Amino acid sequence: MQGPAPIASRFPRPSVMGVVNVTPDSFSDGGVNFRAEDAVASARRMVEEGAAIVDVGGESTRPGSEGVSAEEELRRVEPVLEALQGDVPVSIDTTKAAVAQRAIERGAELVNDVTALRGDSELAGVVASSGAYLCLMHMQGEPRTMQDDPNYDDVASEVASFLEERLRFAVAAGIPEERICLDPGFGFGKTVEQNFELLARLGEIAALGRPVVVGLSRKRSLGRILGDPDATTGPLSASLAAAVEAYERGAAIFRVHDVREHVEALAVAAAVG
Ligand code: HH2
């Protein structure tokens, strides 16, 4: 049997991944898509607007969040996956093997794991045996406490070394390198300054040779750089600027809430080259 195409050809630069949080409490869109029918309608609209894939998640990872059980996560996402199966390309945003397994059975082609295979020890096996694509993301600490005191000697080189090590781990667990993409994890255990340094030096992550995913859309650092020290989100205008800056430094896949605007902004960036 022929395996899936390498992730770089399945998602050419720039590709947009639409965010569909089936949660009551996500920082960016909490509650908007908590009802399955709303989530399904959002996912379909995002594909019409040019998303290459939609990232469906049933657990918020916002700073301070506690997490939910696999049963609750499945209760949220499964009806959505079922409705989208066969029509809409889906990524599952989960750290849990049981959720990933069920999502793959329901057609998910990518597993987006914000723990980079450090959470559930069964997850690597689920991905390896399924042929799914995998996103490995950097996070310092865990969502509940990650923004308490983020600390690095050199944020970009530490994130790059971490991702290189997790890539080796995933490959050793039987997941082909050509199916893996890497994400520096903007906002996951990083101050505003650290997030912007990481964005400026994103080329060092791209130099690892794997497609780079970025999740900058609506992140609080964008609101804070605009002068509101208590911002918990950032505006669309700032999200678009950040996406273009990331594109120029080699990012390939853009995890965003506002699909049409990002598709348009990135088309301009790509036309410039
Ligand atoms: N950010 C969030 C969730 N998952 N996955 C990847 N690969 N990269 C990211 O930057 C990323 C992610 C947080 O954003 P959101 O899903 O909008 O909010 P919440 O975690 O509160 O559901």
Side-chain angles (χ1 to χ4, degrees):
M1 201 182 83
Q2 212 184 349
I7 192 163
S9 40
R10 170 68 182 85
F11 298 105
R13 276 183 84 226
S15 285
V16 166
M17 169 189 275
V19 179
V20 178
N21 288 316
V22 194
T23 59
D25 56 346
S26 289
F27 86 96
S28 53
D29 61 355
V32 173
N33 288 316
F34 192 39
R35 288 178 352 141
E37 56 266 48
D38 294 333
V40 169
S42 290
R44 292 193 193 288
R45 193 192 63 243
M46 287 177 183
V47 169
E48 275 166 30
E49 291 179 353
I53 192 162
V54 296
D55 191 35
V56 177
E59 174 179 71
S60 173
T61 50
R62 73 183 190 290
S65 62
E66 291 284 353
V68 296
S69 67
E71 293 68 36
E72 174 60 15
E73 214 179 307
L74 276 169
R75 203 185 57 71
R76 295 175 180 183
V77 299
E78 214 173 354
V80 177
L81 300 174
E82 224 170 76
L84 297 177
Q85 189 165 6
D87 292 345
V88 169
V90 166
S91 148
I92 180 74
D93 186 357
T94 190
T95 63
K96 300 185 185 75
V99 175
Q101 176 71 51
R102 195 75 67 82
I104 290 165
E105 287 161 14
R106 298 269 183 226
E109 61 177 312
L110 190 155
V111 174
N112 174 23
D113 175 22
V114 299
T115 73
L117 301 181
R118 294 173 302 157
D120 186 332
S121 60
E122 314 274 298
L123 185 54
V126 167
V127 176
S129 60
S130 68
Y133 298 119
L134 174 66
C135 177
L136 296 169
M137 195 196 80
H138 176 271
M139 164 164 47
Q140 188 180 86
E142 57 182 64
R144 198 168 51 79
T145 52
M146 66 191 178
Q147 291 307 112
D148 291 353
D149 185 22
N151 190 11
Y152 301 86
D153 288 329
D154 180 330
V155 66
S157 63
E158 287 173 47
V159 169
S161 309
F162 170 90
L163 291 173
E164 198 173 15
E165 188 275 320
R166 295 323 290 165
L167 177 62
R168 279 200 303 270
F169 176 90
V171 170
I175 304 164
E177 181 165 342
E178 63 170 32
R179 286 193 211 148
I180 302 174
C181 55
L182 303 176
D183 184 333
F186 288 105
F188 286 84
K190 288 147 194 118
T191 63
V192 175
E193 294 69 30
Q194 289 159 356
N195 282 313
F196 277 92
E197 180 170 355
L198 198 48
L199 177 52
R201 293 171 60 191
L202 198 66
E204 295 174 39
I205 310 296
L208 297 174
R210 302 308 311 144
V212 173
V213 179
V214 292
L216 287 152
S217 172
R218 300 189 186 171
K219 290 270 161 90
R220 65 167 60 174
S221 286
L222 302 174
R224 294 191 180 185
I225 209 75
L226 298 179
D228 175 358
D230 302 317
T232 55
T233 62
L236 174 58
S237 52
S239 303
L240 295 171
V244 169
E245 294 288 347
Y247 177 81
E248 288 180 355
R249 291 163 176 79
I253 301 175
F254 298 78
R255 185 181 181 278
V256 311
H257 304 81
D258 304 284
V259 169
R260 182 184 305 281
E261 293 84 348
H262 280 85
V263 166
E264 290 172 357
L266 289 164
V268 173
V272 175

